[in-house]
Amino acid sequence: MSMQQALNRALAEVMTENPRALILGEDVGQLGGVFRITDGLQKKFGEARVFDTPLAESGILGMSVGLAMAGYHPIPEVQFDGFAYPAVNQIICQVGRMNYRSRGKLPMPITLRVPSFGGIRAPEHHGESLEAMFAHVPGLKVVSPSGPNEAYHLLKYAATRQDPVIFMEPKSRYWQKGPVNTGADAAGYRPTGSRVVREGKHLTLVAWGAMVARCLQVAELAAEDGIEIEVLDLRWLKPIDAEGLAASVAKTRRAVVVHEAPRTSGLGAEVASIISERCFGTLKAPVERVTGFDVPYPSGDLEDEYIPNIDRILYGIQRVLEYRRG
C-alpha cells in the first residue's frame, strides 16, 4: 500500500483502539485532509471525533492542549509544514512545557502530524524542513518515517505515547507504495531507534524522511564501483538513537549526513557532533554534510537544485573517501 494508505489505516486503528483519540485540523473531516490521510475517518468515527477547525493553526494547537488536559489524545494536523509557524507559540510554550510545568499532572499526549519537506513543487511555505526547530524544543519528541511500513508502525506507536510527538510526514513519499506488515506478528512491534536499511562497510549515509530513498539510490550506484555504502534511517530525530548511529559509523569509519533543511544549524550538525563524540578515535575522515542551502525554500522550478540530488551526495561521498590526513 502507499504511505497515504498506511497512515490512514494506522489512524483508523488508533481511533478504534483508543476512544479518547480525536482527529482535528483544517479539512480533515468531510474532505479527508488535503492529502487524504484522514479520508473516510469522519464517516467511520463521527463528527465528534474527527472534525474540521477554523483556518487558525494556533487555535488547532491551543484546542489540542485543552483536550489533552481534559484526558483526550488529540491528533491534530497542520496542512503544510510552513503553516506550523503560527502555532509555534502554542507548541513551545504549552505543548512542550505543560507536563514539566505541572510536575507530571498534565501530560500532553498530542501527536501533531505535519506534512513536511519538499519534492512536490509547491509554492512558498509548502516545502519547509522544520526538524531542527522542533528538536530544539525541550519536551517534544520528533519522528519522520521513510516509507509505508515505517509510517504505519511509527504513527501507531507515536499515538500511544504520553509525550507530545511531532510526526513529520515526507509528503513527496505519500504515493510511493511498499509492503506493510499489519499481521498479527507485527503486534507489539516497537519502532524505536534507528534502522539500517542497507548494509555496507566503506561509509555510512545517515538520512531520514524522503532522503532515505535517495540515499538508497546512491548506494546502488556506488556499488557499481565496488563501494559498499551502509544507509541508516535515523527515524527518531529526537531523541536521536546515538547507540545505533555510533554502531554503524564505528563499523564503516566514515559518515555523510543528508538532509533537505539548510546546512547552518541543521540537524546534521547534531548528528555529526554525536558521531564525533562517540567515534572520534576511529573516524578516517571528518563527517560530511550534504544539505539544502542557507536560503528560503525556493519555488518549484528551482527545487531540484535545492534538495540534495544524487550527484551532490555522490560528490560528498567522494570527498570523504578521498580524504587524507595531513
Side-chain angles (χ1 to χ4, degrees):
M1 66 178 74
S2 68
M3 181 183 287
Q4 177 266 337
Q5 292 170 321
L7 290 167
N8 181 270
R9 177 161 179 161
L11 286 173
E13 293 180 8
V14 167
M15 295 287 284
T16 300
E17 294 165 4
N18 181 6
R20 306 290 285 180
L22 305 172
I23 293 173
L24 64 154
E26 298 162 4
D27 291 329
V28 300
Q30 186 174 6
L31 181 66
V34 68
F35 292 105
R36 304 299 186 268
I37 306 301
T38 57
D39 189 32
L41 298 183
Q42 186 181 71
K43 184 177 181 180
K44 184 172 184 178
F45 296 101
E47 296 182 2
R49 296 189 63 198
V50 182
F51 53 93
D52 294 326
T53 65
L55 303 180
E57 287 76 13
S58 59
I60 294 171
L61 268 297
M63 192 183 306
S64 297
V65 170
L67 287 167
M69 293 172 73
Y72 291 94
H73 191 131
I75 307 175
E77 175 191 297
V78 294
Q79 286 189 335
F80 289 90
D81 30 43
F83 299 178
Y85 293 130
V88 163
N89 183 280
Q90 290 289 343
I91 294 171
I92 294 177
C93 297
Q94 308 299 339
V95 176
R97 297 187 182 199
M98 190 61 73
N99 188 42
Y100 179 84
R101 183 185 296 148
S102 67
R103 299 184 180 180
K105 294 180 180 177
L106 293 173
M108 288 284 109
I110 297 172
T111 308
L112 171 59
R113 294 183 39 252
V114 185
S116 296
F117 314 121
I120 62 169
R121 300 189 183 283
E124 188 178 15
H125 298 316
H126 293 67
E128 308 286 320
S129 301
L130 305 181
E131 63 267 40
M133 182 183 75
F134 290 134
H136 195 62
V137 178
L140 300 181
K141 289 182 168 59
V142 186
V143 64
S144 183
S146 60
N149 191 59
E150 297 305 305
Y152 170 80
H153 289 288
L154 286 169
L155 182 54
K156 287 201 67 177
Y157 183 75
T160 60
R161 300 301 94 192
Q162 285 298 299
D163 298 315
V165 178
I166 309 297
F167 197 86
M168 302 182 67
E169 300 167 2
K171 60 178 85 76
S172 67
R173 304 291 297 171
Y174 273 147
W175 314 113
Q176 301 299 314
K177 294 185 176 181
V180 177
N181 184 3
T182 60
D185 59 322
Y189 171 54
R190 293 170 56 86
T192 57
S194 58
R195 182 176 68 111
V196 174
V197 293
R198 181 187 174 102
E199 298 275 355
K201 65 180 182 181
H202 293 132
L203 182 146
T204 298
L205 280 176
V206 184
W208 50 90
M211 286 296 97
V212 173
R214 184 150 301 173
C215 287
L216 286 171
Q217 290 179 291
V218 169
E220 286 288 336
L221 292 171
E224 296 176 4
D225 292 327
I227 301 169
E228 299 179 30
I229 302 290
E230 181 148 306
V231 179
L232 184 76
D233 180 1
L234 204 57
R235 300 201 302 191
W236 289 91
L237 311 183
K238 186 184 181 184
I240 291 175
D241 176 18
E243 295 295 331
L245 182 62
S248 177
V249 179
K251 181 176 69 172
T252 64
R253 305 179 68 180
R254 300 179 179 91
V256 175
V257 188
V258 181
H259 62 65
E260 297 183 34
R263 176 186 176 93
T264 300
S265 298
L267 201 70
E270 182 69 19
V271 172
S273 176
I274 292 172
I275 293 172
S276 298
E277 289 168 359
R278 293 179 176 250
C279 305
F280 183 75
T282 58
L283 283 176
K284 288 188 174 181
V287 179
E288 181 77 18
R289 287 176 287 165
V290 181
T291 71
F293 299 106
D294 288 346
V295 298
Y297 195 86
S299 62
D301 291 344
L302 295 174
E303 198 171 57
D304 292 341
E305 304 299 323
Y306 177 85
I307 296 175
N309 56 33
I310 288 175
D311 288 342
R312 286 176 58 200
I313 299 171
L314 283 171
Y315 184 52
I317 291 171
Q318 182 181 357
R319 286 198 296 270
V320 171
L321 292 176
E322 293 180 351
Y323 177 82
R324 296 292 181 271
R325 295 183 186 275

